[in-house]
Amino acid sequence: MNDLANLPKPERQRKPDWIRVKAPTSKGYGETRQLMRDLNLNTVCEEAACPNIGECWTKKHATVMILGDVCTRACAFCNVKTGMPRAVDPLEPEHVAAAAAKLGLEHIVITSVDRDDLPDGGAGQFVKVIEALRRTTPTTTIEILTPDFRGKMHAAVEAIVAAGPDVYNHNLETVPRLYPTIRPGARYYASLRLLEEVKRHNPLIFTKSGIMLGLGEERLEVHQVMDDMRSAGIDFLTMGQYLQPTPKHAKVIDFVTPQAFDAYGAIARAKGFLQVAASPLTRSSYHAGDDFKAMRAAREAQLAKAAARG
């Protein structure tokens, strides 16, 4: 027994100053947390141990995670539980809409676990949530962050696009070379095709994707991902620092400096993305509402310029 007690604990990496955030203590944080409990809703903010939870929940911004809190995949970077999920909650769409109304959300982000166990991969629940939000809070803009719907992508994308979200997000997460270790259940080009498929069904829906830095990717590999995204017509790129949720997850290879993020952001803008968010603490839904407004304004300006040129 004593021998086990004396074993060295896995070493936690020390974060640089620019990545540290304060523990959440505000009244708004507590109220948001209680509302999610009352409505039996999961959030990716909690399940993925997001560093921005204190700031976002204080402002009553939460990213709702539908289809339960157990994922059928086991990605090396993700803190969400893996296993056999429970049955889909039929009341979930109305609960999400009730939360949006109670929080007074102008913009809501809806994501989910992977549900490879379901015949449609969970696409039908995304549709029901979008429809419930349109009924209950018709002025709220809706951003969805979906899985890749492996093997069911075409039907899933068609159904969700028909429901009319404002932004369709699906993250590539990392460079293709690192997929076998970081995202083993997914395929890089399948994820790109999914985002292309969204644009094919409705070119007006904004598409969005993100990658994590600090997993051992090379600079030119990141540039290539940007080019691949632009070829797929992706409007919005997010880039943030990968943080190791527990010692069992993939290690941080390096902490990318804020200056390096700024440089990546400048290159991405030069490549033609309508909107770019690149900083150590950037996450898919961080400041999503403000970014959506900026992206919409950028597209309107682009269209006005094209019209003026005749």
Side-chain angles (χ1 to χ4, degrees):
M1 252 335 248
N2 286 343
D3 288 346
L4 286 174
N6 292 330
L7 282 173
K9 288 183 179 163
E11 195 180 322
R12 293 308 299 267
Q13 288 164 294
R14 185 174 161 78
K15 297 186 183 89
D17 291 340
W18 66 75
I19 209 84
R20 290 185 198 155
V21 290
K22 288 184 182 138
T25 54
S26 72
K27 181 169 174 276
Y29 170 85
E31 288 169 354
T32 303
R33 187 174 185 275
Q34 192 55 51
L35 178 63
M36 295 302 150
R37 297 290 176 279
D38 292 347
L39 291 170
N40 196 29
L41 292 173
N42 299 298
T43 69
V44 77
C45 322
E46 289 178 290
E47 302 300 333
C50 179
N52 304 314
I53 189 168
E55 179 188 341
C56 294
W57 283 26
T58 295
K59 295 176 180 173
K60 306 288 181 77
H61 295 168
T63 299
V64 178
M65 190 170 79
I66 63 172
L67 294 163
D69 63 352
V70 179
C71 188
T72 53
R73 309 253 181 110
C75 295
F77 63 88
C78 184
N79 200 41
V80 175
K81 294 192 287 279
T82 301
M84 181 45 72
R86 290 189 289 276
V88 176
D89 178 3
L91 299 176
E92 191 172 56
E94 295 306 329
H95 286 167
V96 173
K102 191 89 187 283
L103 293 169
L105 296 183
E106 288 182 22
H107 187 82
I108 189 169
V109 183
I110 309 294
T111 188
S112 80
V113 290
D114 277 288
R115 289 297 301 259
D116 297 316
D117 59 311
L118 298 174
D120 68 349
Q125 191 77 337
F126 272 99
V127 170
K128 287 173 185 165
V129 168
I130 292 166
E131 289 171 349
L133 284 163
R134 293 291 185 222
R135 282 194 304 273
T136 309
T137 58
T139 60
T140 302
T141 49
I142 301 169
E143 178 171 330
I144 56 162
L145 169 55
T146 76
D148 60 7
F149 300 116
R150 187 171 61 197
K152 307 150 185 166
M153 184 260 283
H154 292 288
V157 167
E158 189 171 0
I160 292 171
V161 169
D166 298 283
V167 182
Y168 195 122
N169 185 1
H170 172 67
N171 287 328
L172 295 184
E173 306 293 9
T174 188
V175 301
R177 177 175 58 83
L178 297 177
Y179 262 56
T181 51
I182 301 302
R183 206 174 171 224
R187 300 291 175 269
Y188 176 79
Y189 289 102
S191 285
L192 274 175
R193 293 296 84 77
L194 181 148
L195 289 155
E196 273 186 338
E197 189 80 357
V198 172
K199 284 289 191 189
R200 194 174 70 76
H201 282 289
N202 185 350
L204 294 179
I205 290 180
F206 291 101
T207 51
K208 177 174 173 179
S209 191
I211 60 168
M212 303 171 288
L213 300 184
L215 285 161
E217 66 290 329
E218 301 288 337
R219 191 168 51 88
L220 291 179
E221 289 179 308
V222 176
H223 294 174
Q224 185 60 55
V225 170
M226 292 180 191
D227 288 337
D228 291 344
M229 286 186 181
R230 289 303 302 129
S231 295
I234 293 165
D235 299 301
F236 186 173
L237 167 64
T238 61
M239 309 174 82
Q241 171 70 50
Y242 167 68
L243 297 175
Q244 187 185 32
T246 76
K248 293 184 295 188
H249 288 82
K251 277 191 165 55
V252 176
I253 303 301
D254 54 0
F255 286 104
V256 180
T257 65
Q259 294 78 13
F261 272 103
D262 289 345
Y264 276 130
I267 289 162
R269 288 181 191 93
K271 288 181 183 290
F273 289 96
L274 279 179
Q275 183 70 5
V276 177
S279 77
L281 287 172
T282 292
R283 296 295 180 267
S284 287
S285 49
Y286 189 43
H287 296 162
D290 293 340
D291 284 339
F292 171 71
K293 286 178 189 166
M295 180 166 57
R296 191 163 54 184
R299 177 186 277 173
E300 284 164 4
Q302 207 177 55
L303 292 171
K305 199 185 282 185
R309 280 201 302 264

